[in-house]
Amino acid sequence: MEERPLNEKESLELITRMIKNTHQKLEEGNGIPFLVWGYTSIIVSLLVWYQLNSTQDYQWNFLWFLIPLIGFPVQMFLQRKKEKGIKTYLEDIIKYVWTVIGVAGFVVSMGAMFYWKLPILFIIIVLMATGTAITGLIIQFKPIIISGFISILLSFGCLIFSNSYSILIFALVFLLMMVIPGHILNFKNRKRHV
């Protein structure tokens, strides 16, 4: 079978179709990591808040390390179940963005163990909200873009309010930043496949 060269119109249609397919592929399944990390962060936040308020023992802050201990295995399990296929460069970019943000978050969290005055909840929200906004910009999904930028603004609530309330603000921000947009993204994908 002999291949014929594409004319201008066919080339543009092919490029447009490839961009649309890449955009749809990026949206598919991207709601799941938002939900995993969002729900895990909210549940752990509420657990830490409850324990700190009940006991006044600050050693309960070590429960924060449950977020990566739960989040990573759950995400890896769900990633394996995700359909294998051709990976795009944009998927790699999203992975690189979150790898850098994850490492930065871990380093800052470790630093907070030695320097107690570090506003860790504020810093973590700013990091995660930045990653959220960047991801939204990459996949061109407005709810994620908006939630990322709003969450950056809301992060200042962790500086304004006391420790107990800052934990609740942290949980609320993760609801707005990851859980709600994750559900919207998954709903949009399910709707498209119906």
Side-chain angles (χ1 to χ4, degrees), residues 9-104:
K9 183 180 176 191
E10 292 170 331
S11 293
L12 286 174
E13 286 174 2
L14 177 63
I15 292 169
T16 303
R17 193 169 49 239
M18 289 174 66
I19 290 171
K20 183 179 176 188
N21 289 343
T22 299
H23 185 259
Q24 287 177 349
K25 188 172 189 289
L26 283 172
E27 285 181 355
E28 287 179 17
N30 269 339
I32 292 172
F34 278 90
L35 296 175
V36 167
W37 291 100
Y39 278 120
T40 303
S41 298
I42 290 169
I43 292 167
V44 170
S45 299
L46 295 176
L47 180 62
V48 170
W49 176 81
Y50 176 78
Q51 292 299 338
L52 288 175
N53 283 328
S54 299
T55 66
Q56 303 302 314
D57 182 359
Y58 285 92
Q59 295 216 17
W60 286 108
N61 278 309
F62 286 107
L63 289 177
W64 289 110
F65 288 104
L66 286 174
I67 295 173
L69 290 174
I70 294 169
F72 282 122
V74 171
Q75 183 171 343
M76 292 301 164
F77 174 75
L78 294 173
Q79 289 292 111
R80 280 193 190 149
K81 292 179 83 174
K82 189 177 173 183
E83 180 180 63
K84 299 287 184 200
I86 299 171
K87 283 188 78 172
T88 66
Y89 183 63
L90 291 178
E91 287 175 289
D92 285 339
I93 289 173
I94 292 172
K95 183 177 80 174
Y96 299 148
V97 165
W98 283 104
T99 299
V100 170
I101 288 173
V103 169

Side-chain angles (χ1 to χ4, degrees), residues 117-131:
K117 293 183 180 183
L118 195 66
I120 188 66
L121 298 180
F122 167 76
I123 294 169
I124 294 297
I125 290 174
V126 170
L127 285 171
M128 297 300 138
T130 302

Side-chain angles (χ1 to χ4, degrees), residues 91-162:
E91 287 175 289
D92 285 339
I93 289 173
I94 292 172
K95 183 177 80 174
Y96 299 148
V97 165
W98 283 104
T99 299
V100 170
I101 288 173
V103 169
F106 181 76
V107 169
V108 170
S109 298
M110 296 307 290
M113 290 177 60
F114 301 104
Y115 183 68
W116 290 92
K117 293 183 180 183
L118 195 66
I120 188 66
L121 298 180
F122 167 76
I123 294 169
I124 294 297
I125 290 174
V126 170
L127 285 171
M128 297 300 138
T130 302
T132 299
I134 291 170
T135 301
L137 289 166
I138 291 169
I139 67 173
Q140 299 175 348
F141 192 65
K142 284 184 184 173
I144 291 178
I145 298 168
I146 293 167
S147 71
F149 285 113
I150 288 173
S151 296
I152 291 170
L153 294 174
L154 293 176
S155 68
F156 287 94
C158 290
L159 296 176
I160 296 168
F161 294 99
S162 70

